[in-house]
Amino acid sequence: MTMRTILTYPNPLLRQMARPVINFDEELRQTADDMAETMYDAPGIGLAATQIGDLRQLIVVDISKEKGEKKFMPLVNPRIISSEGRQIDEEGCLSVPEITSNVKRFRKVIVTYQDITGETAEITAEERFAVVLQHEIDHLHGILFIDHLSPLKRQLYKKKVKKMLAGEARPF
Ligand code: NI
C-alpha cells in the first residue's frame, strides 16, 4: 500500500465532478487500499478519491466497531437513492484544514453502490454513518462541507485560508 497526498482547499481539483468507474480491476482495488491507508494515517473516517486527485467515483469509509480496528469499506459509483429526516452534526474534512462546523444533513440515507468487484449493493445508513456517506458523496460532486455553511461563516474561513497561505509563503 502507498500513502497518497491529500489535496487541500482551495485546490481546484476538489471542485471537479468525478467520473463513473467502469474498470473493476486490480488497480482500482489498489487505489482503494491506498486511500484507506491514507485515511487511517491522517487520521480520518472517510476519504473520497477526489481528495487524492483521482477523479473516479470511489470513496472509502471506516466501519470499525472497536477502537484500534481498521475495517473499511470501499463504495464505487455510490448514489443516494432515498433520504429522510434531518440532523445537525459537527463535521471536519481532511481537505479543509483548521475548521470544523455543524452541518445539516439527512438523518437517514439509502445508498446504492458497487463493491470493489463491481457487484451492485445497497446500504442503509443512519446518524453519524449517514453523515459520513453524504459528506464523501458530496466530494464526488466537487462539494465541500463548507459549502453547506452560511455565506458569512464560509467567508471567514476563506479569509483565514488566505492568511495561512500568505504565512506559508513568507520566508523565515
Ligand atoms: Ni471531506
Side-chain angles (χ1 to χ4, degrees):
M1 289 201 278
T2 316
M3 286 278 295
R4 306 291 190 101
T5 304
I6 298 174
L7 305 180
T8 53
Y9 177 88
N11 190 307
L13 279 175
L14 293 170
R15 294 310 195 175
Q16 298 292 309
M17 285 287 286
R19 298 176 297 268
V21 170
I22 302 159
N23 295 320
F24 291 81
D25 53 12
E26 184 50 35
E27 191 272 333
L28 182 73
R29 182 188 297 270
Q30 192 60 57
T31 302
D33 285 353
D34 288 354
M35 283 168 60
E37 191 185 6
T38 307
M39 169 181 82
Y40 285 122
D41 180 75
I45 50 171
L47 193 73
T50 304
Q51 292 178 273
I52 59 162
D54 184 328
L55 295 176
R56 284 182 290 183
Q57 293 179 12
L58 166 66
I59 63 174
V60 295
V61 292
D62 177 50
I63 51 164
S64 303
K65 293 253 190 295
E66 281 160 46
K67 240 190 150 128
E69 215 184 345
K70 285 183 178 177
K71 205 169 166 209
F72 69 93
M73 181 179 159
L75 290 89
V76 184
N77 302 328
R79 201 159 50 88
I80 295 168
I81 53 162
S82 160
S83 56
E84 65 179 67
R86 289 286 187 279
Q87 63 178 328
I88 293 174
D89 203 349
E90 193 176 11
E91 291 184 34
C93 178
L94 298 174
S95 292
V96 189
E98 308 285 337
I99 183 179
T100 60
S101 190
N102 281 332
V103 178
K104 196 173 172 187
R105 300 273 190 189
F106 295 117
R107 201 193 63 78
K108 180 180 173 184
V109 291
I110 300 175
V111 173
T112 60
Y113 65 99
Q114 282 163 282
D115 71 12
I116 205 71
T117 68
E119 210 63 53
T120 301
E122 195 177 288
I123 189 168
T124 301
E126 292 182 71
E127 296 169 3
R128 191 71 185 152
F129 190 43
V131 170
V132 176
L133 286 178
Q134 288 170 86
H135 177 119
E136 300 312 331
I137 292 171
D138 262 2
H139 273 300
L140 302 180
H141 296 95
I143 298 167
L144 301 171
F145 84 93
I146 47 172
D147 300 338
H148 294 282
L149 307 184
S150 70
L152 177 68
K153 254 194 152 168
R154 200 162 51 239
Q155 212 48 47
L156 283 174
Y157 179 67
K158 280 182 184 171
K159 271 191 192 154
K160 192 176 173 182
V161 170
K162 253 189 194 161
K163 267 191 197 160
M164 287 192 317
L165 290 175
E168 275 171 21
R170 205 179 298 137
F172 288 101

